[in-house]
């Protein structure tokens, strides 16, 4: 099967989005750039939790990989594409940036 450039679109979109969140995080020192070790541990715990959730859903026949031209086809396990791990890491990171960013804004507004 020949390589199709469209098979990288979803992964590329996830990585570009993650890069943008990293820039916001870096600019405001919210999560990864505030306490890197603690942040990495939290990201790993979050990703492992959601990966276990996915594995349970796959085992129960609830989750499955759909077909589409935008996926790399690289599988980490049965019905578990590489893009899922990248998405879960992105989800955990964006959630922490949003929560800590909102907390900072609300604290700033309360003291202003």
């Amino acid at each position: 099967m020949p390589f199709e450039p469209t098979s990288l679109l979803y992964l590329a979109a996830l990585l570009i989005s993650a890069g943008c969140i990293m820039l916001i995080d870096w600019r405001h020192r919210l999560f990864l750039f505030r306490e890197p070790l603690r942040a990495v541990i939290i990201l790993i715990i979050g990703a492992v939790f959601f990966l276990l959730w996915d594995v349970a859903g796959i085992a129960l026949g609830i989750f499955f990989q759909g077909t589409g031209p935008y996926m790399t086809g690289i599988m980490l396990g049965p019905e578990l594409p590489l893009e899922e791990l990248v998405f879960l890491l992105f989800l955990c990171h964006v959630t922490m940036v949003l929560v800590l960013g909102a907390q900072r804004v609300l604290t700033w507004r309360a003291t202003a």
Side-chain angles (χ1 to χ4, degrees):
M1 179 163 146
F3 172 74
E4 295 287 332
T6 57
S7 68
L8 297 175
L9 285 178
Y10 181 49
L11 183 59
L14 285 171
L15 293 174
I16 290 168
S17 299
C20 292
I21 295 300
M22 284 284 228
L23 287 172
I24 292 169
D25 189 2
W26 173 74
R27 166 64 179 88
H28 298 285
R29 303 288 190 268
L30 293 168
F31 183 55
L32 276 173
F33 296 94
R34 184 174 183 186
E35 293 185 55
L37 181 60
R38 180 184 285 185
V40 168
I41 291 169
I42 290 169
L43 284 177
I44 290 170
I45 290 170
V48 167
F49 171 80
F50 285 116
L51 276 173
L52 291 173
W53 182 305
D54 281 355
V55 168
I58 291 166
L60 293 171
I62 298 168
F63 299 156
F64 58 91
Q65 182 198 359
T67 59
Y70 308 112
M71 305 285 281
T72 62
I74 299 170
M75 302 299 285
L76 302 176
E79 306 293 333
L80 187 63
L82 168 67
E83 292 87 350
E84 182 68 9
L85 175 61
V86 175
F87 171 74
L88 293 175
L89 288 168
F90 170 72
L91 176 69
C92 292
H93 187 210
V94 76
T95 300
M96 291 308 300
V97 167
L98 286 170
V99 167
L100 295 172
Q103 182 182 39
R104 184 173 294 173
V105 168
L106 292 173
T107 302
W108 175 77
R109 290 187 78 184
T111 60

